[in-house]
Amino acid sequence: MASISSLIGKIGTLKAPRIITAFERAALVLENRVKTNLTGPVLSTRSGRLRSSISTRVREKDGRLAAYIGSGQRTGKPAVYADILETGGIVRPKNCQWLTIPTRQNMTGAKGNIRYRAREVPNGFFARSKAGNLILYRGGNKRPEAMFILKKQVKIPARRYLALSQAQGEQDAFNCLSAGLGALLEEK
């Protein structure tokens, strides 16, 4: 199989827009792989915001084509949690003492939206769990429901959804690009 750079050299600059199109198609193969991994194999989908923010941008830089695949590439508005899910790290509260982590009882429907913000929990009261976590409960006439777990910090493990997708889809993208460039070479 010929290398990509030698194929581009044989095609010439007359068909540069079609070379870019072939490169964009190959980049879309990788974008689709990322979105597939965000739908279950690597991360579970809760709201779909991260998956819908993934896009591809192809640019020419110093005479070379480069594909940028990630959150917010087209819009410039990445999902705020995209980087920490890729690299991992520690999340700490910025404007308050505690992080408020919603429990399943505080979620609505399939989209995973929360019913109440921590300040809005009706008849809210705090108690410690057997594990020592501080929990915000919703009180009332019924049995109390745990609405939020409060933490000083949370460690997010690296999920490497972009790096894994690149490794998994590299050969498919190469084959797509080779096929597109090979077709242009045959037209010559």
Side-chain angles (χ1 to χ4, degrees), residues 10-183:
K10 290 177 185 174
I11 293 167
T13 57
L14 294 175
K15 296 181 182 176
R18 294 182 62 200
I19 293 172
I20 292 171
T21 301
F23 197 80
E24 287 171 340
R25 285 185 181 147
L28 285 173
V29 167
L30 289 174
E31 178 184 326
N32 288 334
R33 175 65 72 159
V34 172
K35 289 181 176 183
T36 299
N37 280 340
L38 290 176
T39 309
V42 178
L43 287 172
S44 298
T45 303
R46 195 174 99 193
S47 68
R49 288 185 194 118
L50 178 58
R51 184 183 59 236
S52 64
S53 77
I54 299 296
S55 57
T56 302
R57 182 173 46 109
V58 174
R59 295 272 192 247
E60 183 186 348
K61 186 176 180 182
D62 300 328
R64 301 181 128 201
L65 289 175
Y68 302 92
I69 302 165
S71 181
Q73 287 300 322
R74 280 191 213 120
T75 63
K77 296 178 183 176
V80 292
Y81 45 86
D83 287 341
I84 197 144
L85 287 174
E86 176 67 17
T87 61
I90 296 177
V91 177
R92 293 181 181 89
K94 288 184 179 179
N95 301 321
C96 51
Q97 284 187 320
W98 301 89
L99 292 172
T100 53
I101 304 161
T103 63
R104 288 186 195 266
Q105 289 95 333
N106 196 19
M107 300 292 184
T108 61
K111 291 205 173 208
N113 297 322
I114 60 171
R115 286 193 284 178
Y116 302 106
R117 294 171 56 183
R119 293 181 180 153
E120 300 168 346
V121 173
N123 300 320
F125 66 93
F126 296 97
R128 290 226 180 251
S129 69
K130 291 178 184 177
N133 294 320
L134 190 59
I135 299 177
L136 174 58
Y137 288 91
R138 179 176 83 163
N141 297 337
K142 301 178 186 176
R143 193 174 121 200
E145 292 180 290
M147 302 304 277
F148 290 94
I149 299 170
L150 283 71
K151 297 269 191 176
K152 290 285 188 180
Q153 65 182 26
V154 176
K155 184 177 181 184
I156 306 292
R159 302 295 170 95
R160 302 280 184 210
Y161 64 94
L162 289 171
L164 178 64
S165 300
Q166 179 185 355
Q168 290 172 339
E170 199 169 85
Q171 189 61 47
D172 292 339
F174 180 82
N175 293 343
C176 179
L177 184 57
S178 294
L181 295 177

